[in-house]
Amino acid sequence: MITFKSYDGETFDIDETVAVELKTIKHMMEDGCAGNEIPVPNVTGKILAKVIEYCKKHVESGKAEDQAASDDLKAWDADFVKVDQATLFDIILAANYLDIKSLLDLTCQTVADMIKGKTPEEIRRTFGITNDFTPEEEEGIRRENQWAFE
Amino acid sequence: MEEHGEGTMSESIPTELILEIFAKIPTKWLFQIRCICKRWYNLINNDPCLPTMHLAQSTTSEEEALILTHWFHVKHRKSTLKFITESPNPILEFPNVGRYDLENSCHGLLCFAKCGKEEEAILSNPLKHELHILPRSTALSRWPQFTRYGLGFDSSSKIYKIVRIFFRDFDWTNRGYQLGAEVYTMGSVGQWRDIVRVPHYPLYRRGVYTNGILHWLVNYEFTHDDDLKSMVVSFDFKKEEFNSIPHPEFSSKNSNWFELVDLRRYLGMVDFSLGTHIEIWKLKDYEKKEWVREYKIDIHPLDGMPINQCIEVVGVIGEDEILLKHFDMLVVYSSKTGGLRSIQTLSGGLDMDAPQVYVHKGSLVSLSL
């Protein structure tokens, strides 16, 4: 059993098989830098809980090999990412820091899917991005690649 | 899930993660979102890592196929590339006069060769409006109109290379013709390197690039049935070697009845020799060289015309959907329903020849390497 301690002091007891999914932690353990309690300074308790939930589920499901189990896992993943935007981005940052490739892929794909299919105005609204182009500049860019808008 | 963000994507996310997200967005959408803000514009246009990251993702995803039309204006003798959309604006205009043939596409880059006696090879990423004319080789060809060019990527040295196969001379003692082959490395100082071991047969145009290897059919005008073991010649860009690919036993060994096609990462071979219908074989396992008969298309050409002269298999455009060109009509075959439906008739006006049509998988790869 390994204990993780989040940025805001929350502790989590997890199995070693789950802990090694977080590559950053795995390397710490291999290098002998990890004691009984591993600090995870960049991640809050709320996000660390989500990350651990993901890793636990994927370690458990890793044993099943059939199509049905794979479909179930995909459905579980789809539900897992149904969180508010701020949480989603926090999970992305955590997955990157903790080096959990599959979680990073899943969350980045989720954002990519959110972007795909929206108009530029909708994208700016959804993600709170300020348009720093002048209308003429923006029109010029659109004309460069008219085909992309059709 | 979609709330008003508190500037989540603008400040807190480091560039490397924005690139991870962009790499998962299909090309068409990436070009759309360039106008969102200056940061995104600069990343999509100029970031040196993004094209490779994006390419790696798009080989696994099912990106929407774009359909390009290649027109030749008979009076002005100028070639242009356009998308089959309402927009009349070409996406690419060839700088020099003359007809060009598409030799092959690789990683969203197109390789064209000029038709006729004046050799000229062009590389382009049409989506980025980039065009590069390759330096001419000093090794002259006796019949320049039969010169083949091919673009590929050497995955070990991570560079793009162009191979040129040409007729050196006529040799009375051997087969009658003597082929030469050279390679040009992109980014190098303009030298074509000789390849000693040349292919056994001259090649027919329109190569298909899959698995790091470019494939052509042998040119039927120069081959004799009895000698021929395989109609498919390959060139490995890493090893810089020519080889032969085994294929199914067909009733005909005349490559005039066949066509190679890109089946989305798989090499495809179209069999027109049956007359009543078209069959498309897929090289499912490249290592083991295992082919499967993937599609059987019932399509009837106009009376009297050989099927391979009026129908062309353009490529795969969707989930089991094949785009065909029947004279100036674009037709889609759905393998799910077995049905055919016309999607468009191509007409460019009085001065335009019937266009070439290509299925294009776009990329951000830049020619300024």
Side-chain angles (χ1 to χ4, degrees):
Chain A
M1 271 309 207
I2 313 266
T3 304
F4 284 172
K5 188 168 181 180
S6 74
Y7 160 81
D8 43 0
E10 244 183 281
T11 57
F12 300 86
D13 290 325
I14 49 176
D15 205 75
E16 205 174 301
T17 54
V18 178
V20 297
E21 289 294 298
L22 293 68
K23 291 281 182 301
T24 307
I25 304 298
K26 178 172 183 252
H27 293 144
M28 280 170 72
M29 284 161 64
E30 283 166 353
D31 292 344
C33 305
N36 287 335
E37 203 176 78
I38 300 179
V40 189
N42 290 20
V43 188
T44 62
K46 172 185 170 196
I47 300 300
L48 191 53
K50 286 290 279 182
V51 168
I52 290 168
E53 185 193 342
Y54 175 88
C55 293
K56 265 194 184 140
K57 176 72 182 179
H58 276 247
V59 166
E60 281 163 18
S61 307
K63 296 160 195 150
E65 292 249 328
D66 56 275
Q67 186 63 38
S70 168
D71 290 341
D72 280 342
L73 189 59
K74 281 209 173 77
W76 188 91
D77 280 350
D79 268 338
F80 178 80
V81 290
K82 286 188 180 140
V83 292
D84 66 81
Q85 210 189 105
T87 306
L88 183 62
F89 280 97
D90 282 336
I91 298 176
I92 290 179
L93 289 167
N96 186 47
Y97 170 67
L98 296 166
D99 196 0
I100 310 164
K101 186 166 191 329
S102 64
L103 180 57
L104 186 62
D105 279 343
L106 171 66
T107 45
C108 286
Q109 185 67 57
T110 306
V111 178
D113 293 339
M114 280 164 74
I115 291 174
K116 222 166 59 173
K118 284 197 167 65
T119 64
E121 292 75 24
E122 285 169 348
I123 294 170
R124 288 189 193 109
R125 224 179 15 248
T126 306
F127 297 102
I129 299 171
T130 320
N131 182 3
D132 50 358
F133 282 120
T134 66
E136 295 80 32
E137 284 172 332
E138 190 181 332
E139 182 54 38
I141 295 168
R142 281 172 185 259
R143 251 185 289 117
E144 260 176 50
N145 284 291
Q146 193 63 41
W147 59 272
F149 292 91
E150 284 165 8
Chain B
M1 193 188 351
E2 285 147 33
E3 301 171 353
H4 282 277
E6 304 87 34
T8 39
M9 270 203 89
S10 39
E11 291 109 38
S12 56
I13 303 289
T15 300
E16 64 186 86
L17 293 179
I18 300 216
L19 294 179
E20 286 276 357
I21 293 167
F22 283 174
K24 290 170 167 26
I25 298 177
T27 315
K28 180 173 168 167
W29 297 106
L30 270 186
F31 276 94
Q32 260 199 43
I33 64 174
R34 288 186 327 154
C35 66
I36 297 272
C37 66
K38 288 184 179 166
R39 185 187 185 196
W40 285 29
Y41 181 86
N42 282 317
L43 285 177
I44 294 168
N45 252 24
N46 307 320
D47 186 277
C49 304
L50 185 58
T52 318
M53 287 169 73
H54 184 260
L55 196 63
Q57 293 283 344
S58 68
T59 47
T60 47
S61 77
E62 291 307 323
E63 192 170 310
E64 191 188 309
L66 303 162
I67 301 174
L68 283 174
T69 50
H70 177 184
W71 301 87
F72 181 69
H73 195 286
V74 185
K75 274 208 193 121
H76 301 149
R77 302 195 54 75
K78 283 298 212 89
S79 304
T80 51
L81 283 182
K82 287 185 190 163
F83 285 103
I84 54 157
T85 56
E86 297 307 312
S87 167
N89 301 319
I91 190 137
L92 192 77
E93 288 181 12
F94 288 66
N96 301 331
V97 296
R99 278 186 207 272
Y100 289 82
D101 272 337
L102 179 70
E103 293 286 318
N104 78 289
S105 76
C106 161
H107 292 185
L109 300 174
L110 301 175
C111 177
F112 292 94
K114 198 171 204 173
C115 303
K117 299 219 180 98
E118 194 189 301
E119 274 195 49
E120 185 180 282
I122 286 182
L123 295 186
S124 169
N125 184 335
L127 305 188
K128 298 196 82 165
H129 307 292
E130 284 180 358
L131 186 143
H132 176 74
I133 303 175
L134 290 173
R136 214 174 266 185
S137 164
T138 50
L140 295 174
S141 168
R142 198 163 196 278
W143 290 290
Q145 58 269 49
F146 292 110
T147 299
R148 287 276 71 77
Y149 287 91
L151 170 69
F153 184 70
D154 177 345
S155 54
S156 57
S157 54
K158 303 269 190 288
I159 41 170
Y160 289 94
K161 294 177 178 172
I162 297 94
V163 65
R164 174 181 177 244
I165 303 121
F166 59 103
F167 279 90
R168 272 196 205 281
D169 211 337
F170 202 73
D171 177 359
W172 293 99
T173 36
N174 294 318
R175 291 180 195 281
Y177 50 78
Q178 215 178 49
L179 292 177
E182 301 180 305
V183 167
Y184 177 82
T185 304
M186 286 300 287
S188 74
V189 192
Q191 293 287 69
W192 288 86
R193 278 179 293 112
D194 208 55
I195 295 180
V196 178
R197 284 186 51 211
V198 298
H200 290 299
Y201 298 97
L203 308 170
Y204 193 58
R205 70 178 175 89
R206 200 73 68 83
V208 173
Y209 179 82
T210 60
N211 303 78
I213 296 173
L214 190 49
H215 307 83
W216 299 268
L217 284 173
V218 296
N219 191 327
Y220 61 91
E221 284 179 37
F222 299 91
T223 56
H224 310 284
D225 271 357
D226 27 348
D227 297 351
L228 201 60
K229 297 220 168 39
S230 163
M231 292 188 273
V232 183
V233 174
S234 67
F235 181 72
D236 184 323
F237 281 89
K238 190 158 61 178
K239 298 180 191 161
E240 294 188 3
E241 277 174 12
F242 287 97
N243 230 317
S244 223
I245 304 282
H247 54 69
E249 192 74 38
F250 296 112
S251 54
S252 167
K253 269 220 175 129
N254 183 347
S255 58
N256 193 21
W257 293 112
F258 297 86
E259 207 178 88
L260 291 182
V261 67
D262 186 339
L263 294 178
R264 274 199 170 156
R265 303 188 302 279
Y266 293 98
L267 177 63
M269 200 162 169
V270 185
D271 181 3
F272 288 106
S273 69
L274 304 154
T276 49
H277 60 280
I278 298 171
E279 285 183 358
I280 306 178
W281 292 73
K282 178 160 116 176
L283 182 51
K284 200 149 188 169
D285 188 326
Y286 199 88
E287 297 301 309
K288 297 188 190 146
K289 300 292 183 289
E290 281 174 8
W291 292 83
V292 291
R293 185 178 6 220
E294 191 80 353
Y295 305 98
K296 184 171 174 250
I297 306 175
D298 281 310
I299 185 164
H300 302 290
L302 297 177
D303 292 319
M305 286 233 70
I307 198 168
N308 64 327
Q309 278 180 33
C310 49
I311 292 168
E312 187 190 319
V313 177
V314 181
V316 178
I317 54 165
E319 190 77 41
D320 295 316
E321 287 200 314
I322 309 256
L323 181 66
L324 305 160
K325 185 160 92 82
H326 186 184
F327 289 118
D328 61 350
M329 257 188 351
L330 287 181
V331 176
V332 173
Y333 168 77
S334 162
S335 69
K336 278 204 186 92
T337 63
L340 293 160
R341 66 176 200 282
S342 282
I343 56 168
Q344 199 177 93
T345 301
L346 302 159
S347 60
L350 273 174
D351 293 318
M352 293 288 208
D353 269 356
Q356 293 293 311
V357 181
Y358 316 128
V359 169
H360 185 66
K361 191 133 174 263
S363 80
L364 299 172
V365 177
S366 181
L367 288 176
S368 43
L369 304 154

